[in-house]
C-alpha cells in the first residue's frame, strides 16, 4: 500500500504538470460557439491569426504565459457551450453568470492587461514588468496600429524557446527550426515591419534579433572567432547555415552572414523580400551605443529597440549605419514620375536628395588615400575641419582664476545635430574656381589665408581644431570663412571648390532625431518646462529612472555622431591598398564635404559662445574637447558662473542649460587644483572632467 508521502508526491507531480488543453478540434468548436473569429482571438491573446490557426489544427501549441490565458478562456467557453451529449452545466443564474463571467474575464484579461493573469512558474512575464524597467509615457515602437500591414511592429527578439518578443508587449510563437524557416515565417506570418518614412521611400524590412539560445538552436555558432575586428567577422561560405540559405534560393549581401545579416530575394513586382537578422552574442549591439541592452531580458530588448525604431529607424546595423540609412530614408534618391509620352511611371531624381550615383569630392575634401588624390598627385593640402581639442596655455591663467575652488565642465547636447539644423550643403559635384569672391551662402571649400585674424590668446582660434593660430593659407569650409568675415576681417580666397546646386539636405534628419532626443529625455523626467535648477537636478539621476530609455538616449546620441562620421568612412581591412576605391565610395552618401560643413558649424557655434561668455562674464575656458568646455568657477554648479539677466532668465548668446540640442548640461565637476595639474602635464581637463576617460568622437 502506498505511503502518504508517495501519494502526496504523485499529487504534486500532477499539480506541476503543464496546463492541459482540449483537443484542437474542440478548441475550434468552442471559439465558433462563442462567435469569436480567429483574428479577434489572436488580438486578445496578443498573437497572430496564423498562430491561432496552428493551435486549432494541431500544428503547434501556445507557450506560457499565453497558454494559461488560453486555457482559462477555453474553460469558460466549455462551461457555457458544452459539447453535444456532454452533461449540462448546473442550471441557474448563478452558474450561468459564473460561466459567462469566466469567459468574459479571460478575454478581458488577455485584451486589457499587459501581462496574462497567471504566468507560468519559472518563466518571466516579459511585458513591461522587468526589474527597473518602467513603461514609457510615450508611444513605444510600437505596437502598431499605424499600419495594418505590420500589426506587430518593426521587430522581434527571438529566444531559445520559440517565443518572439515584439514591441508593445506582444509575444509571437515562432516555430522556425532553421534560419530559412525563420526568414519565411517572418515574411509570411509574423506581421513585422515598418512603413516608409517618406512617401517616395521604402518600407523598413523586419528585424529579428537572435538571443544566444536562439542562435544556437538555429545552427549558428555561439561566438564568431577570428583575428579581424569583431564587426568584420563573418561565417565562412561553407558553413551549413550559409549553404542552407543559398540552397533555398535566398541571398546574402556582400557583407555575408555576420552580426547584422540581410537575407533577401530579388524584388518581384512591388514586393520586397528581405529580413534583417541581428545576433546578440556576435556583438551586434555595441556596448558603447547600446549600454547594457544585450544583457537585458528579450522583452526589454524589444522595448529598447522598438522605441528606437519608432522614434528613429528600425536598426540596420550599428548606430552609425542606422544614422546614415535614416538620411536616405528621409530623403529618398528617386521618386515615381509619369512619362508624358508613354504614360508609364518611371523612376526620376528626387529634388533635394543626393541622387543614386556616387560623387567624387574635390581633392582638398578627400582623404590622402582617395583615388582623386593619388591619381592626380594632389599636394595642395586638405580641409582640417575637426572638433576642438584645445587646452589654454597655463601661463595665461590669472591668480584670481587659480584661487577659484572648482573646475566645471559643460557639455552641449548633440552639438553635431544642432549644427545640422538649417544647414545648406552642396547637392551637385564641385566646380573649381580661381580667386573667387567669397559668398557665405555658397557651400564649398575655400583656400584662404586667415593668419591675420586676431583672437584673444585665452580663447582657441576658431580656425583650427587644436586652437592654434593659422600660419598661412589653408582650406576651410564656408562656415569657417564666414566667421572670419563676421569678426570684421576681409577674406580674399585664392581658390575654391564650390557647388552650384544646394539644399538643406539634413533638415528632416535633424528634425526627426531632435524629436527623438527630446521625447526620450522627457521619458526620463527631463522636460522642457523645468527651470535650470530643476533641470540640473533631473539630469543628475535621469539614467537611473529607466535603464531601457537611458539606453535609447545613448543610442540616439551615437546615431548622430556615427551618422555624420559615416559621411567620410575610411577604408577598412588589412588588404586595402592606397589609391584603390573602397566600398564606402560607392554610396551617394560618401560626402566628406557635408561632414566638414557640420563639424565646421559646430566648432564655430562653440567659439561664438566662448567669445560671448568672455564679453558677458569675463570668464575664459580652461579647455575644450569637442562639445565639452571647462570653466573655472566659484561654485560647483553652472548656476554659479553662467550669465543671467536681472529677471532670472539666461542671457542670450552664451551657454544656456536645457534639454534640447545645442543647449548645455553639466558634464562634471573637479577641483581647480586638479584641472591645473592636468594642464601642466599636457592633458586636457575636458577629457577627464566627468571622472573617467572620455572618448573623443570627431564624427569619424
Amino acid at each position: 500500500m502506498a505511503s502518504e508521502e508517495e501519494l502526496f508526491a504523485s499529487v504534486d507531480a500532477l499539480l506541476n504538470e503543464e496546463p492541459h488543453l482540449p483537443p484542437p478540434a474542440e478548441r475550434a468548436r468552442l471559439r465558433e460557439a462563442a462567435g469569436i473569429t480567429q483574428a479577434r482571438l489572436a488580438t486578445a491573446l496578443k498573437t497572430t491569426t496564423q498562430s491561432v490557426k496552428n493551435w486549432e489544427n494541431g500544428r503547434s501549441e501556445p507557450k506560457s504565459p499565453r497558454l494559461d490565458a488560453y486555457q482559462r478562456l477555453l474553460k469558460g467557453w466549455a462551461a457555457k457551450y458544452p459539447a453535444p451529449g456532454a452533461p449540462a452545466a448546473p442550471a441557474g443564474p448563478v452558474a450561468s453568470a459564473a460561466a459567462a463571467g469566466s469567459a468574459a474575464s479571460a478575454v478581458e484579461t488577455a485584451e486589457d492587461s499587459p501581462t496574462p493573469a497567471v504566468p507560468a512558474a519559472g518563466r518571466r512575464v516579459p511585458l513591461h514588468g522587468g526589474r527597473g524597467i518602467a513603461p514609457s509615457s510615450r508611444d513605444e515602437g510600437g505596437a502598431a496600429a499605424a499600419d495594418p500591414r505590420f500589426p506587430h511592429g518593426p521587430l522581434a527578439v527571438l529566444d531559445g524557446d520559440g517565443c518572439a518578443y515584439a514591441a508593445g508587449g506582444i509575444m509571437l510563437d515562432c516555430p522556425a527550426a532553421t534560419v530559412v524557416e525563420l526568414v519565411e515565417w517572418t515574411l509570411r506570418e509574423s506581421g513585422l515591419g515598418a512603413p516608409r518614412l517618406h512617401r517616395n521611400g521604402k518600407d523598413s524590412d523586419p528585424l529579428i534579433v537572435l538571443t544566444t539560445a536562439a542562435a544556437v538552436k538555429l545552427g549558428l555558432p555561439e561566438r564568431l572567432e577570428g583575428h579581424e575586428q569583431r564587426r568584420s567577422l563573418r561565417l565562412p561560405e561553407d558553413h551549413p547555415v550559409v549553404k542552407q540559405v543559398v540552397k533555398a534560393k535566398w541571398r546574402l549581401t556582400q557583407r555575408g552572414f555576420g552580426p547584422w545579416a540581410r537575407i533577401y530575394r530579388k524584388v518581384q513586382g512591388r514586393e520586397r523580400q528581405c529580413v534583417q537578422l541581428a545576433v546578440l552574442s556576435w556583438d551586434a549591439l555595441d556596448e558603447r551605443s547600446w549600454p547594457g541592452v544585450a544583457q537585458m531580458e528579450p522583452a526589454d530588448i524589444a522595448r529598447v529597440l522598438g522605441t528606437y525604431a519608432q522614434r528613429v529607424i528600425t536598426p540596420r546595423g550599428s548606430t552609425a549605419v542606422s544614422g546614415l540609412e535614416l538620411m536616405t530614408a528621409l530623403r529618398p534618391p528617386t521618386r515615381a514620375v509619369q512619362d508624358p509620352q508613354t504614360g508609364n511611371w518611371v523612376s526620376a531624381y528626387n529634388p533635394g536628395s543626393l541622387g543614386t550615383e556616387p560623387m567624387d569630392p574635390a581633392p582638398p575634401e578627400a582623404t590622402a588615400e582617395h583615388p582623386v588624390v593619388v591619381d592626380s598627385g594632389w599636394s595642395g593640402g586638405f580641409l582640417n575641419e575637426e572638433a576642438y581639442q584645445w587646452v589654454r596655455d597655463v601661463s595665461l591663467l590669472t591668480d584670481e582664476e587659480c584661487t577659484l575652488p572648482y573646475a566645471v565642465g559643460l557639455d552641449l547636447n548633440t552639438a553635431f545635430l544642432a549644427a545640422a539644423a538649417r544647414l545648406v550643403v552642396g547637392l551637385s559635384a564641385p566646380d573649381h574656381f580661381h580667386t573667387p569672391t567669397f559668398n557665405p551662402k555658397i557651400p564649398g571649400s575655400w583656400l584662404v589665408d586667415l593668419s591675420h585674424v586676431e583672437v584673444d590668446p585665452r580663447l582657441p582660434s576658431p580656425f583650427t581644431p587644436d586652437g592654434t593660430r593659422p600660419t598661412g593659407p589653408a582650406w576651410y569650409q564656408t562656415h569657417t570663412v564666414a566667421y572670419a568675415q563676421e569678426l570684421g576681417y576681409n577674406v580674399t580666397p585664392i581658390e575654391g571648390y564650390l557647388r552650384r546646386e544646394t539644399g538643406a539636405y539634413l533638415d528632416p534628419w535633424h528634425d526627426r532625431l531632435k524629436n527623438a532626443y527630446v521625447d526620450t529625455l522627457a521619458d526620463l523626467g527631463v522636460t522642457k518646462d523645468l527651470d535650470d535648477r530643476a533641470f540640473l537636478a533631473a539630469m543628475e539621476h535621469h539614467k537611473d529612472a529607466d535603464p531601457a530609455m537611458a539606453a535609447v538616449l545613448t543610442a540616439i546620441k551615437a546615431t548622430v555622431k556615427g551618422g555624420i562620421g559615416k559621411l567620410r568612412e575610411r577604408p577598412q581591412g588589412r588588404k586595402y591598398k592606397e589609391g584603390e576605391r573602397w566600398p564606402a565610395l560607392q554610396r551617394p552618401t560618401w560626402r566628406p564635404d557635408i561632414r566638414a560643413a557640420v563639424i565646421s558649424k559646430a566648432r564655430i557655434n562653440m567659439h561664438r559662445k566662448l567669445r560671448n561668455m568672455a564679453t558677458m562674464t569675463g570668464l575664459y575656458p580652461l579647455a575644450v574637447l569637442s562639445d565639452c568646455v571647462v570653466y573655472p568657477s566659484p561654485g560647483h554648479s553652472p548656476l554659479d558662473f553662467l550669465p543671467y539677466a536681472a529677471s532670472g532668465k539666461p542671457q542670450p548668446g552664451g551657454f544656456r542649460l536645457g534639454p534640447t540640442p545645442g543647449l548645455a548640461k553639466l558634464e562634471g565637476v573637479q577641483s581647480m587644483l586638479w584641472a591645473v595639474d592636468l594642464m601642466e602635464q599636457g592633458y586636457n581637463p575636458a577629457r577627464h572632467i566627468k571622472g573617467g576617460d572620455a572618448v573623443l568622437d570627431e564624427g569619424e
Side-chain angles (χ1 to χ4, degrees):
M1 183 174 178
S3 67
E4 181 179 321
E5 185 176 343
E6 290 173 329
L7 290 172
F8 272 85
S10 298
V11 170
D12 287 341
L14 289 175
L15 289 173
N16 290 329
E17 280 188 5
E18 287 291 320
H20 180 68
L21 293 174
E26 176 66 3
R27 304 170 200 174
R29 186 195 72 78
L30 290 171
R31 175 184 54 75
E32 290 169 356
I36 302 296
T37 64
Q38 290 177 328
R40 185 177 174 193
L41 178 57
T43 301
L45 292 175
K46 302 285 194 293
T47 187
T48 64
T49 303
Q50 184 62 46
S51 292
V52 174
K53 290 179 180 178
N54 292 343
W55 302 341
E56 293 184 357
N57 62 28
R59 289 180 58 195
S60 68
E61 297 289 323
K63 294 182 174 63
S64 293
R66 188 177 288 109
L67 172 62
D68 306 270
Y70 189 37
Q71 183 193 43
R72 182 180 178 188
L73 178 60
L74 292 175
K75 282 183 177 178
W77 282 340
K80 192 173 183 182
Y81 311 108
V94 174
S96 298
S102 176
S105 173
V107 173
E108 269 183 23
T109 299
E111 288 182 340
D112 300 331
S113 173
T115 55
V118 189
R123 183 180 179 98
R124 181 172 174 209
V125 182
L127 306 175
H128 301 333
R131 181 180 175 188
I133 305 292
S136 168
S137 61
R138 297 162 193 271
D139 179 25
E140 289 182 6
D147 194 313
R149 296 173 301 155
F150 311 116
H152 301 132
L155 55 87
V157 182
L158 183 64
D159 69 11
D161 296 327
C163 186
Y165 297 79
I170 294 173
M171 292 186 294
L172 310 172
D173 289 319
C174 176
T178 67
V179 168
V180 171
E181 290 178 1
L182 174 62
V183 170
E184 292 174 349
W185 172 84
T186 303
L187 292 174
R188 295 174 185 173
E189 299 182 30
S190 71
L192 296 173
R196 64 197 68 186
L197 298 179
H198 187 282
R199 68 178 184 275
N200 295 320
K202 300 174 182 176
D203 296 332
S204 285
D205 299 316
L207 167 64
I208 302 293
V209 181
L210 302 180
T211 62
T212 303
V216 172
K217 178 182 176 182
L218 295 172
L220 299 171
E222 184 173 333
R223 301 291 295 175
L224 279 179
E225 302 298 338
H227 299 291
E228 298 185 28
Q229 293 182 3
R230 176 70 58 189
R231 64 181 178 177
S232 302
L233 293 176
R234 301 289 180 266
L235 284 182
E237 292 183 3
D238 60 354
H239 190 277
V241 170
V242 177
K243 287 183 176 180
Q244 289 171 11
V245 170
V246 174
K247 185 178 180 181
K249 294 186 167 43
W250 290 97
R251 298 185 177 191
L252 292 164
T253 61
Q254 290 183 351
R255 296 182 67 83
F257 204 124
W260 290 88
R262 294 183 74 81
I263 301 176
Y264 72 99
R265 283 179 178 150
K266 281 191 173 182
V267 176
Q268 297 179 350
R270 298 183 63 183
E271 291 297 318
R272 281 174 61 83
Q273 296 186 79
C274 183
V275 175
Q276 175 90 57
L277 300 181
V279 188
L280 292 179
S281 61
W282 296 0
D283 299 331
L285 297 181
D286 190 303
E287 182 67 19
R288 294 168 298 179
S289 302
W290 301 97
V293 176
Q295 292 75 45
M296 290 181 179
E297 295 289 338
D300 298 331
I301 297 174
R303 181 184 170 215
V304 170
L305 297 181
T307 303
Y308 179 89
Q310 186 265 330
R311 294 180 181 177
V312 182
I313 193 172
T314 303
R316 312 268 181 101
S318 67
T319 48
V321 169
S322 297
L324 197 69
E325 292 283 343
L326 181 63
M327 295 179 194
T328 303
L330 294 169
R331 292 279 198 192
T334 60
R335 62 188 176 116
V337 297
Q338 195 167 27
D339 187 323
Q341 295 181 342
T342 66
N344 296 330
W345 289 92
V346 296
S347 179
Y349 170 71
N350 185 30
S353 76
L354 297 182
T356 59
E357 296 300 319
M359 184 184 300
D360 276 341
E365 298 165 347
T367 56
E369 64 271 24
H370 195 286
V372 302
V373 174
V374 175
D375 295 346
S376 67
W378 173 263
S379 58
F382 299 95
L383 282 175
N384 190 23
E385 300 287 12
E386 303 295 344
Y388 267 134
Q389 294 188 69
W390 171 82
V391 179
R392 200 200 317 177
D393 190 328
V394 178
S395 66
L396 297 176
L397 294 175
T398 65
D399 292 341
E400 182 181 1
E401 286 176 320
C402 291
T403 56
L404 290 173
Y406 296 103
V408 176
L410 291 176
D411 179 72
L412 295 182
N413 302 321
T414 56
F416 288 174
L417 184 61
R422 315 299 174 252
L423 175 67
V424 176
V425 300
L427 301 178
S428 58
D431 291 322
H432 188 203
F433 296 88
H434 290 280
T435 62
T437 301
F438 178 69
N439 185 335
K441 295 183 179 180
I442 299 178
S445 303
W446 310 78
L447 180 62
V448 61
D449 189 350
L450 300 179
S451 60
H452 62 290
V453 178
E454 294 285 348
V455 178
D456 191 306
R458 293 169 292 180
L459 294 175
S461 166
F463 310 125
T464 59
D466 63 3
T468 58
R469 186 169 175 171
T471 57
W475 288 96
Y476 301 100
Q477 201 276 333
T478 297
H479 280 88
T480 305
V481 184
Y483 189 58
Q485 207 172 54
E486 180 183 321
L487 294 175
Y489 292 86
N490 291 325
V491 292
T492 53
I494 303 165
E495 282 184 74
Y497 283 92
L498 313 177
R499 287 170 167 80
R500 299 179 188 275
E501 294 179 31
T502 65
Y505 172 72
L506 293 175
D507 260 11
W509 185 81
H510 162 271
D511 294 347
R512 186 165 178 85
L513 284 168
K514 176 184 176 181
N515 289 336
Y517 181 82
V518 171
D519 288 349
T520 307
L521 261 183
D523 285 336
L524 293 167
V526 186
T527 56
K528 290 189 283 188
D529 59 348
L530 298 176
D531 62 29
D532 285 359
R533 196 172 298 277
F535 167 75
L536 290 173
M539 285 298 295
E540 192 171 349
H541 302 292
H542 74 286
K543 291 184 179 180
D544 302 326
D546 186 338
M549 288 300 103
V552 174
L553 186 69
T554 300
I556 292 169
K557 292 189 286 187
T559 301
V560 172
K561 286 190 174 180
I564 296 299
K566 277 282 183 181
L567 293 169
R568 196 189 71 168
E569 184 177 356
R570 307 294 284 267
Q572 301 171 18
R574 292 175 294 177
K575 297 179 181 178
Y576 172 76
K577 295 180 181 179
E578 188 177 89
E580 293 179 345
R581 301 190 76 85
W582 57 96
L585 300 188
Q586 305 310 312
R587 300 191 318 250
T589 48
W590 197 86
R591 290 294 301 274
D593 56 301
I594 296 179
R595 173 188 177 274
V598 172
I599 298 178
S600 165
K601 186 178 174 185
R603 197 183 65 247
I604 295 306
N605 286 348
M606 171 67 82
H607 193 276
R608 191 179 286 113
K609 286 181 170 63
L610 297 174
R611 190 164 53 91
N612 289 340
M613 282 285 291
T615 301
M616 290 186 286
T617 68
L619 287 176
Y620 291 86
L622 301 176
V624 184
L625 182 78
S626 190
D627 48 12
C628 176
V629 56
V630 177
Y631 274 103
S633 172
H636 57 77
S637 169
L639 301 175
D640 294 316
F641 65 89
L642 289 179
Y644 290 87
S647 63
K649 293 185 178 180
Q651 291 279 22
F655 294 101
R656 295 176 54 192
L657 300 174
T660 55
L663 298 187
K665 59 181 179 290
L666 177 64
E667 178 72 1
V669 183
Q670 301 288 345
S671 72
M672 185 64 179
L673 289 176
W674 169 91
V676 173
D677 183 53
L678 280 186
M679 295 167 70
E680 289 177 339
Q681 296 180 60
Y683 297 118
N684 190 325
R687 186 180 294 278
H688 309 280
I689 192 74
K690 200 171 185 176
D693 285 347
V695 177
L696 175 66
D697 189 332
E698 300 176 359
E700 195 55 71

